[in-house]
Amino acid sequence: MREGPDIARIASLVGDPARANMLTALMGGTALTASELALEAGVSLPTASSHLSKLMEGGLLTLASQGRHRYYGLAGPQVAGMIEAITGVAASVGPQRVRPGPRDAAMRVARVCYDHLAGEQAVAMLDRLVDKKVLIRDDNEIRLGQSAASHFAALGIDVQSKARRPVCRACLDWSVRRSHLAGTLGAAILDKILLEKWARREKDSRAVIFSPLGKQAFERTFLA
Amino acid sequence: MREGPDIARIASLVGDPARANMLTALMGGTALTASELALEAGVSLPTASSHLSKLMEGGLLTLASQGRHRYYGLAGPQVAGMIEAITGVAASVGPQRVRPGPRDAAMRVARVCYDHLAGEQAVAMLDRLVDKKVLIRDDNEIRLGQSAASHFAALGIDVQSKARRPVCRACLDWSVRRSHLAGTLGAAILDKILLEKWARREKDSRAVIFSPLGKQAFERTFLA
DNA sequence: AGAATGCTTCGATGAAGGACGAACTATGCG
DNA sequence: CGCATAGTTCGTCCTTCATCGAAGCATTCT
């Protein structure tokens, strides 16, 4: 027998389809109620409740009670990173699903992935930042370029990471099979997009909808 | 229902204790036979064989047949990264196991983790490289410092990553709850240690045993 | 207080899959 | 060729656990 952390326990929590769907839904970044997660997972409310208590016990979720609503969210970036890693493997080895990407066009263009932007817009943005050498990509790794600090400071974004997570990281975009920007920088950029009201989050969805002017501003800022 | 990669399929493969033990064993980096893996997992040979075919079908393993021996190995760095991510979550949220680290003293000091060095020596090395600002650590992220290229070039190690994986990455060391260096740089350093014969790999184990002179050389090189 | 909503617990059911022994195939060795 | 070793396949047993309906709490609204 082996020692060490009980990885089978954690993996089997993710290994149930209903729970996997819930966790994937929570990658949207916003905490959801038990009913919403039941709907996402396609199971009854009691079943969902049972799964949620298991995920809680496993330490994968946090719970915020607000009156009679109980909001479940991912326990932290480390958990989100694990889901990402598993998703990456599943996307690369998995038997390609029939539908190559999200059915919803808006989701394909731009959506939230835990705390950063994903979708075609996000992929284009990362490509452009790499072209401009603001960021440097070594395949799966992303580093800050020389001009990164000043470039982002001009947008009011501090690239110094104080949190215990990477500044920038590549996150595989399963809808287009390309990478987009995750990490604190990815999160900060999404914050800015929403703060400047360039885009809004679709209610009850991970889709991010750009306004006409917001789209222009975004493209001027990140795709120019 | 949701679309996207079938993450539950992959996670459930890792979610079985026997398979998890096999995968953990393969993090040692060397390919193992079905019998060895059966022993590691603590199951009978038929059971192990069944698990192995499932892991193969899931694309998590590669198989190299040599005569009547069949060597199973992890399918690639992406799979290893996923196991690492799950292990990290399990280590941080898991109910602390009774034994805080490997029972074997040699394993605690230095062992192989997929393709790089882990254990107390590896943790000390990373700490020292960060102290000397050869590497820069932002908690979980590790970047090359200004002097990294020249520092490692002097050791015959090229820090330019051409492979599709990060040059350096933090890998949580479950035996001491601290990080050590993974990525291509971590792999290159382990290569050098073995090439210079500073240490040898214990047969049928992940332990790395330093010779007296090798230990001196290693400490002079990386801990000075 | 009474009703409605949101969620959890309980109990029963059923299906999935992990376990091993025995038999079978394949490679290597003398 | 015959025996030993390495590994897979098959059949069967058995545990585990996902599922849902019904009932039980808790919170809020009127």
Side-chain angles (χ1 to χ4, degrees):
Chain A
M1 289 293 177
R2 322 211 96 250
E3 60 275 349
D6 195 348
I7 120 173
R9 196 175 104 86
I10 300 300
S12 68
L13 281 174
V14 189
D16 175 84
R19 287 193 292 260
N21 283 336
M22 290 175 173
L23 291 168
T24 307
L26 290 172
M27 288 294 280
T30 52
L32 300 172
T33 66
S35 328
E36 291 168 326
L37 288 167
L39 198 68
E40 286 283 348
V43 294
S44 73
L45 227 163
T47 305
S49 182
S50 154
H51 285 306
L52 288 169
S53 55
K54 280 172 192 169
L55 289 171
M56 283 296 295
E57 198 182 357
L60 267 51
L61 298 185
T62 53
L63 175 57
S65 284
Q66 285 181 20
R68 62 179 158 185
H69 293 272
R70 311 189 62 168
Y71 289 96
Y72 291 92
L74 292 188
Q78 195 179 23
V79 173
M82 175 185 76
I83 304 291
E84 257 181 44
I86 299 173
T87 308
V89 171
S92 65
V93 310
Q96 320 314 8
R97 300 281 273 251
V98 188
R99 212 179 317 104
R103 114 194 55 193
D104 188 345
M107 289 274 278
R108 209 164 41 236
V109 172
R111 66 178 180 280
V112 167
C113 175
Y114 187 55
D115 62 0
H116 55 270
L117 196 68
E120 289 165 4
Q121 288 280 54
V123 170
M125 178 181 77
L126 176 58
D127 286 348
R128 193 70 192 93
L129 287 172
V130 170
D131 279 350
K132 288 195 284 188
K133 303 217 190 323
V134 173
L135 300 180
I136 298 165
R137 168 160 53 186
D138 285 344
D139 291 287
N140 272 338
E141 182 198 31
I142 298 176
R143 298 197 315 273
L144 297 174
Q146 298 289 346
S147 60
S150 61
H151 185 273
F152 286 109
L155 304 174
I157 293 173
D158 181 9
V159 295
Q160 287 311 311
S161 166
K162 276 153 200 90
R164 53 163 50 127
R165 34 185 310 224
V167 176
C168 37
R169 224 160 28 78
C171 178
L172 188 63
D173 205 311
W174 48 266
S175 63
V176 286
R177 302 272 176 148
R178 307 267 314 278
S179 289
H180 58 252
L181 183 64
T184 54
L185 182 55
I189 290 175
L190 176 60
D191 280 348
K192 181 177 175 66
I193 290 169
L194 298 177
L195 198 69
E196 300 274 358
K197 297 211 192 314
W198 290 348
R200 61 184 168 75
R201 295 200 50 177
E202 185 73 350
K203 173 106 175 113
D204 295 333
S205 159
R206 295 163 64 186
V208 171
I209 316 283
F210 279 83
S211 70
L213 267 75
K215 189 161 187 294
Q216 283 179 26
F218 174 81
E219 292 179 348
R220 197 168 50 237
T221 309
F222 291 111
L223 302 183
Chain B
M1 287 295 175
R2 322 211 95 250
E3 60 274 349
D6 195 349
I7 119 172
R9 195 175 104 89
I10 301 300
S12 68
L13 282 174
V14 189
D16 176 84
R19 288 193 291 261
N21 283 335
M22 291 175 172
L23 291 168
T24 307
L26 290 172
M27 287 295 280
T30 52
L32 299 171
T33 65
S35 328
E36 290 168 327
L37 287 167
L39 199 66
E40 285 283 348
V43 293
S44 72
L45 225 161
T47 304
S49 183
S50 154
H51 285 306
L52 287 170
S53 53
K54 280 173 192 167
L55 288 171
M56 283 296 296
E57 198 183 356
L60 266 50
L61 298 185
T62 52
L63 175 58
S65 285
Q66 285 179 21
R68 63 175 159 182
H69 293 273
R70 312 189 63 172
Y71 290 95
Y72 291 92
L74 291 188
Q78 196 180 22
V79 174
M82 175 186 74
I83 304 291
E84 256 182 44
I86 299 174
T87 308
V89 171
S92 64
V93 308
Q96 321 314 6
R97 300 281 273 249
V98 188
R99 214 180 316 102
R103 110 194 62 193
D104 189 343
M107 289 273 278
R108 209 164 41 234
V109 172
R111 66 179 181 281
V112 167
C113 175
Y114 188 56
D115 62 1
H116 55 270
L117 196 67
E120 290 165 4
Q121 289 279 54
V123 171
M125 179 182 76
L126 176 57
D127 285 348
R128 194 70 192 95
L129 287 171
V130 170
D131 280 350
K132 288 195 285 189
K133 304 215 189 324
V134 174
L135 300 180
I136 297 166
R137 169 161 52 185
D138 286 343
D139 291 286
N140 272 340
E141 183 198 32
I142 298 177
R143 300 196 314 273
L144 297 174
Q146 298 289 344
S147 59
S150 61
H151 185 273
F152 285 109
L155 304 173
I157 294 173
D158 182 8
V159 296
Q160 288 309 312
S161 166
K162 278 155 199 84
R164 55 163 50 126
R165 35 186 309 228
V167 176
C168 38
R169 225 160 28 77
C171 177
L172 187 63
D173 204 312
W174 49 268
S175 62
V176 286
R177 302 271 176 143
R178 306 269 314 278
S179 288
H180 58 253
L181 184 65
T184 54
L185 182 54
I189 290 175
L190 176 60
D191 281 349
K192 181 176 174 67
I193 289 169
L194 297 176
L195 198 69
E196 299 276 356
K197 296 213 194 311
W198 291 348
R200 59 184 169 77
R201 295 203 48 178
E202 185 73 350
K203 174 112 174 104
D204 293 334
S205 159
R206 294 163 64 186
V208 172
I209 315 283
F210 279 83
S211 70
L213 267 75
K215 188 161 186 293
Q216 283 179 27
F218 173 81
E219 292 179 347
R220 197 169 50 240
T221 309
F222 290 111
L223 301 183

